[in-house]
Amino acid sequence: MASYPVFLKRKQQVADGTLAFYFDKPADFVFKAGQCVRLVLIDPPETDGEGNGRILSLASTPAEAELMVATRIRSSAFKRVLSTLAPGTELTLKGPYGDFVLPADPHAPLVFITGGIGITPVRSMLLQALSDGEERRLLLFYANRRPQDAPFLEELQQACAGNARCTLVATMTAPSAPGWQGERGYVDEAMLARYLDDVQAPFYFLDGPPALVAAMRALLGRLGVAEERVRTEEFAGY
Ligand SMILES: Cc1cc2nc3c(=O)[nH]c(=O)nc-3n(C[C@H](O)[C@H](O)[C@H](O)COP(=O)(O)OP(=O)(O)OC[C@H]3O[C@@H](n4cnc5c(N)ncnc54)[C@H](O)[C@@H]3O)c2cc1C
């Protein structure tokens, strides 16, 4: 698999405890919206059992000039080092990997169901699908504990608001999310029914923590959605 030198341009907080990292896109690097890469630290001051790299989805779209990944900052050596890197630091990018990408069929509605950091490949795919100018309906169910935990929420709300075929259903699961006017609680059959006329028609993209993916896959199975209409990607390690 190809490997590229990339240089950190900047980092930005995109939710509580969550950073986005931006890199110039190498001229010969090509990827599809939804794919991931392995980002590897070079000679880090500390390491751990998982090694110096992690698989991270590209949250940027292929059309954007920069590559962007985003991650919850937790206590692994990789993330401690990553979060303190100075602009200009060189890393190694390997990939792209994965077939969690938009289907070739331009007609079937697309439904994305994710939560928290699982939004990374969905940001890429949703913005790509919006810019493709296709007629299909796009729905994103996006679950978080609180609005401040939801990376890219405002950006995606704005992108969707300007487009009649796009609906973003953000839902907050914390018992108290003061001032939140939208949906509350986990995505369930009743919530899907409020926004979908025909639950069996769309292609579904489920990704994020393995427990969320398993719960949503089971829900769609109970609703009779054909397995070939469901694509999943588990963020192992969450
Ligand atoms: C296709 C894909 C895309 C991903 N995209 C993103 C992304 O965009 N943003 C993001 O933050 N994370 C993403 N992840 C998850 C990411 O690779 C890390 O696993 C996660 O960020 C946790 O890293 P960590 O350094 O905090 O913890 P780690 O040190 O990596 O591990 C945390 C815990 O999970 C366990 N663990 C780690 N890897 C595995 C595994 N493969 N199987 C079972 N247990 C494991 C460890 O043993 C440990 O107990 C993705 C994973 C995959 C597979």
Side-chain angles (χ1 to χ4, degrees):
M1 184 53 68
S3 152
Y4 304 82
V6 289
F7 297 85
L8 180 65
K9 285 183 80 177
R10 63 183 196 283
K11 51 196 169 192
Q12 184 186 343
Q13 182 164 343
V14 290
D16 275 8
T18 308
L19 291 178
F21 298 84
Y22 294 82
F23 305 87
D24 273 326
K25 185 160 52 177
D28 51 347
F29 180 76
V30 179
F31 72 103
K32 292 182 183 163
Q35 285 191 302
C36 57
V37 295
R38 183 168 180 82
L39 194 61
V40 185
L41 301 166
I42 299 173
D43 295 331
E46 56 173 328
T47 191
D48 57 31
E50 297 292 327
N52 294 338
R54 294 291 186 277
I55 297 282
L56 297 171
S57 302
L58 290 167
S60 47
T61 71
E64 287 174 299
E66 296 172 318
L67 297 177
M68 187 260 285
V69 297
T71 188
R72 298 287 201 216
I73 297 304
R74 304 199 307 188
S75 64
S76 66
F78 174 83
K79 292 194 177 173
R80 272 198 298 274
V81 174
L82 184 70
S83 61
T84 55
L85 291 183
T89 304
E90 181 177 346
L91 296 88
T92 301
L93 181 144
K94 296 181 179 179
Y97 305 108
D99 54 6
F100 193 67
V101 297
L102 294 167
D105 173 353
H107 301 296
L110 304 183
V111 175
F112 302 93
I113 308 178
T114 191
I117 198 64
I119 197 66
T120 47
V122 174
R123 178 193 181 275
S124 180
M125 284 192 281
L126 188 70
L127 295 181
Q128 170 80 50
L130 279 169
S131 71
D132 280 347
E134 290 159 353
E135 293 304 312
R136 63 181 156 200
R137 183 130 193 261
L138 304 165
L139 260 99
L140 165 56
F141 292 89
Y142 185 21
N144 284 272
R145 293 195 66 249
R146 307 162 305 160
Q148 56 268 42
D149 299 316
F152 312 119
L153 176 58
E154 272 182 38
E155 179 190 23
L156 294 175
Q157 279 172 328
Q158 283 171 16
C160 244
N163 196 310
R165 65 197 173 89
C166 182
T167 306
L168 195 162
V169 182
T171 181
M172 300 302 147
T173 60
S176 119
W180 178 249
Q181 301 292 327
E183 291 281 357
R184 284 178 183 269
Y186 292 97
V187 178
D188 60 10
E189 181 175 352
M191 197 184 293
L192 291 183
R194 281 197 284 284
Y195 298 92
L196 279 170
D197 299 333
D198 179 359
V199 80
Q200 297 186 6
F203 275 114
Y204 289 86
F205 289 83
L206 318 176
D207 81 302
L212 179 145
V213 173
M216 292 302 110
R217 192 204 286 270
L219 172 63
L220 296 180
R222 285 197 300 277
L223 296 176
V225 176
E227 267 182 35
E228 58 271 19
R229 298 192 85 75
V230 181
R231 294 189 182 178
T232 63
E233 183 151 272
E234 295 186 357
F235 283 16
Y238 278 107

